[in-house]
Amino acid sequence: MIAHRATSTINTRVSSPGRTSRNLWRDLRRGWKATYFDYHVLPLIGQWEWSFWRETPQHLSVHVIVGEEEWRRAAWMLASWFHFSEFAWPVVIHDDGTLTEEARATFKKLFHSARIVGRTEADAAVAPMLQAFPFCADFRRSHPRALTLFDVPHFAPRERFLVFHSGLLFFSHPREILNWVAAESDECWFQEDAQECSLLTAAEARAELDLKIWPRVSSGLCLLTKKAIDLDLCDRALAQTSLPSGDPWRIEQTLLMLCAARHGKGGLLPRKYEVSLLGHAQPDSVSRHYVGPVRNRFYTEGLARLRDIFFPKEKA
């Protein structure tokens, strides 16, 4: 049980005039260091190599939802997970409908057995499953993060699975996660968020769904079991509560929390699986999820640390 608690590669991304303008303003706001790491260090992940493919991989699948904007960040995340967990893993890439051919080829090159689930394939498999749950179906059509709830369990080859966000990076051995993998536990575990981000209050969840919420659940790192995903509960929550009127990026997280609370097994990982708004990661952090307000630290802190491990000759 888990206790509670080479030569620099030039980025050749093709941009439309509108995107070029948006990127220019973004780069001016975030500063030269984040911009440098984005354009010159982020693409280095295409050169990363894993030397232990002949060793027996872990059995549980790792899932990530990606698109055109964040696929390189997701590749760094997965490389850091392989490196610090010291295992290869079955990787399932869920295309949000915008994944490029370059991204597909790179994932296949880096993670040899990776399965890429295209949006057309996913729609054909999952849409019929949601016919009895119209509010879930509508949510899935409207927001890519909904794939975590509906597509990931469907395509996961085993009862249990891991879901990682592209804004996550690992920095040391994830002992608690590996213990969960080895224990065959049907518990659900999450990172503890920097603040309460549930779209439902405790009172509303109790009155409308007869549930006691789990506080401060973050879905950036999820250890899940299929039996916890309750489509009927998700449909009722979307139909009967104020959930759909909230921040769409938090709907998936709130629904996952509600499912885990109904399942009633698991909780929050220790805080060294960090979600914070601090300028720097804590010294003992196993991982850090670089959420919106500190997203630029993914480049200036996270990639700076991992570059020196993965590509020491690239150190400036």
Side-chain angles (χ1 to χ4, degrees):
M1 179 177 291
I2 300 171
H4 279 268
R5 289 288 8 134
T7 301
S8 275
T9 304
I10 297 174
N11 190 334
T12 57
R13 284 172 275 185
V14 176
S15 296
S16 66
R19 176 178 292 181
T20 299
S21 179
R22 290 194 301 272
N23 289 348
L24 176 60
W25 283 111
R26 177 202 63 193
D27 296 343
L28 289 172
R29 287 194 305 270
R30 68 184 179 177
W32 73 267
K33 187 174 182 180
T35 298
Y36 172 83
F37 273 86
D38 185 3
Y39 285 96
H40 295 277
V41 177
L42 188 69
L44 289 175
I45 196 59
Q47 302 175 25
W48 179 79
E49 294 182 348
W50 177 254
S51 302
F52 308 102
W53 289 112
R54 293 185 178 181
E55 296 185 5
T56 303
Q58 280 287 355
H59 58 290
L60 297 189
S61 52
V62 176
H63 297 253
V64 57
I65 298 164
V66 295
E68 179 183 12
E69 295 294 329
E70 72 278 353
W71 69 267
R72 285 186 176 88
R73 292 198 300 269
W76 276 91
M77 178 274 293
L78 288 169
S80 72
W81 169 247
F82 273 51
H83 180 89
F84 287 107
S85 70
E86 301 176 346
F87 286 102
W89 299 77
V91 171
V92 183
I93 304 295
H94 297 265
D95 178 5
D96 70 1
T98 67
L99 201 62
T100 64
E101 287 304 316
E102 179 189 8
R104 289 170 173 269
T106 302
F107 279 124
K108 286 289 189 180
K109 170 181 174 289
L110 297 178
F111 310 104
H112 294 182
S113 61
R115 181 181 181 190
I116 300 176
V117 180
R119 191 60 192 254
T120 300
E121 176 189 359
D123 289 348
V126 178
M129 182 182 74
L130 296 181
Q131 286 181 351
F133 306 97
F135 293 91
C136 290
D138 184 62
F139 175 47
R140 184 181 179 275
R141 284 190 296 266
S142 64
H143 205 278
R145 294 306 305 173
L147 304 185
T148 305
L149 278 155
F150 311 124
D151 296 44
V152 169
H154 178 81
F155 287 101
R158 293 177 177 263
E159 174 64 30
R160 299 184 305 142
F161 52 91
L162 303 89
V163 186
F164 295 158
H165 193 275
S166 60
L168 179 71
L169 290 173
F170 290 88
F171 301 118
S172 66
H173 189 66
R175 187 175 309 279
E176 292 79 7
I177 298 178
L178 295 179
N179 287 345
W180 176 84
V181 170
E184 299 293 337
S185 166
D186 66 349
E187 299 167 336
C188 297
W189 294 89
F190 304 90
Q191 294 170 301
E192 180 177 355
D193 215 331
Q195 57 194 13
E196 182 56 69
C197 290
S198 172
L199 293 176
L200 296 182
T201 65
E204 187 176 10
R206 185 169 53 250
E208 299 290 346
L209 304 169
D210 193 27
L211 273 178
K212 181 179 180 181
I213 67 171
W214 285 6
R216 295 178 70 164
V217 165
S218 168
S219 61
L221 189 166
C222 309
L223 314 180
L224 298 173
T225 175
K226 292 183 184 182
K227 64 181 66 174
I229 305 301
D230 187 334
L231 297 182
D232 181 68
L233 172 62
C234 292
D235 214 54
R236 288 193 295 116
L238 290 165
Q240 298 173 199
T241 73
S242 61
L243 194 55
S245 64
D247 182 345
W249 291 99
R250 295 182 180 179
I251 295 175
E252 163 250 18
Q253 181 166 280
T254 303
L255 289 173
L256 282 171
M257 177 273 291
L258 292 172
C259 286
R262 171 62 56 82
H263 183 60
K265 299 178 182 180
L268 299 179
L269 291 161
R271 290 181 177 174
K272 59 187 177 180
Y273 294 90
E274 183 176 351
V275 184
S276 75
L277 304 181
L278 301 175
H280 299 279
Q282 296 299 304
D284 65 341
S285 289
V286 172
S287 67
R288 186 177 185 185
H289 184 195
Y290 293 92
V291 295
V294 293
R295 179 59 51 81
N296 291 335
R297 300 295 299 172
F298 181 96
Y299 304 100
T300 60
E301 175 184 83
L303 295 194
R305 292 174 64 173
L306 295 176
R307 176 194 60 177
D308 298 343
I309 297 170
F310 295 164
F311 311 106
K313 293 181 180 180
E314 297 292 335
K315 187 173 181 180

